[in-house]
């Protein structure tokens, strides 16, 4: 509930809102939030689930290829409380774009890593790769 400039959380349970009918992704996010993890962790898990399931055929590996027939991944995550941002773009070989974006936010001074830099960073941080997307 919002009173003036003060926000009070009177809800006993976390809330997950999705603009699409990706029920499995929303459930995955809710499980993380309900377990007491951060909102960012919940969002990342929801998005990661969508990447794995290829929710609408354009998200994640196997998604829409570029003009050369190659699929690259873009992802961005933001912590609304701290305004921290992490993102990857044109990332090849690594299937989990949103987790890579979270790692950029957590472990670098950068906002965005692109292309080979994004792939090398993600793999160096322990994400599986290289694979054909």
């Amino acid at each position: 509930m919002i009173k003036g400039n003060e926000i009070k959380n009177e809800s006993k349970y976390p809330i997950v809102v999705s603009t699409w009918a990706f029920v499995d992704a929303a459930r995955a996010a809710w499980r993380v939030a309900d377990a007491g993890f951060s909102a960012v962790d919940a969002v990342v898990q929801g998005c990661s689930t969508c990447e794995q399931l290829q929710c609408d055929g354009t998200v994640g590996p196997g998604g829409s290829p570029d003009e050369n027939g190659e699929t690259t991944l873009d992802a961005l995550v933001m912590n609304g409380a701290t305004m921290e941002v992490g993102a990857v773009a044109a990332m090849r070989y690594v299937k989990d774009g949103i987790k890579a974006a979270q790692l950029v936010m957590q472990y670098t001074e950068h906002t965005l890593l692109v292309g080979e830099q994004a792939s090398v960073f993600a793999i160096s941080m322990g994400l599986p790769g290289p694979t054909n997307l």
Side-chain angles (χ1 to χ4, degrees):
M1 174 176 16
I2 300 175
K3 291 183 178 179
N5 291 333
E6 184 178 343
I7 299 174
K8 291 188 176 190
N9 184 2
E10 295 180 4
S11 174
K12 184 177 178 183
Y13 300 102
I15 297 172
V16 174
V17 177
S18 174
T19 57
W20 294 82
F22 302 148
V23 176
D24 292 334
R27 285 184 179 142
W30 190 87
R31 282 192 296 274
V32 171
D34 190 48
F37 291 92
S38 73
V40 170
D41 289 334
V43 167
V44 167
Q45 185 57 49
C47 291
S48 183
T49 299
C50 224
E51 288 176 332
Q52 292 166 10
L53 297 176
Q54 299 174 337
C55 286
D56 66 1
T58 64
V59 176
S64 301
D66 62 18
E67 293 78 15
N68 297 320
E70 181 179 18
T71 299
T72 58
L73 300 182
D74 306 325
L76 179 141
V77 66
M78 179 178 192
N79 183 329
T82 65
M83 299 301 167
E84 294 172 294
V85 177
V88 294
M91 185 172 68
R92 300 168 64 202
Y93 310 122
V94 179
K95 290 183 176 184
D96 206 334
I98 195 67
K99 286 184 182 174
Q102 184 181 30
L103 291 168
V104 170
M105 181 174 68
Q106 292 175 328
Y107 295 104
T108 77
E109 296 296 319
H110 301 288
T111 300
L112 171 66
L113 295 178
V114 179
E116 186 178 347
Q117 297 283 339
S119 301
V120 168
F121 171 76
I123 293 166
S124 76
M125 294 300 292
L127 294 181
T131 60
N132 290 327
L133 300 177

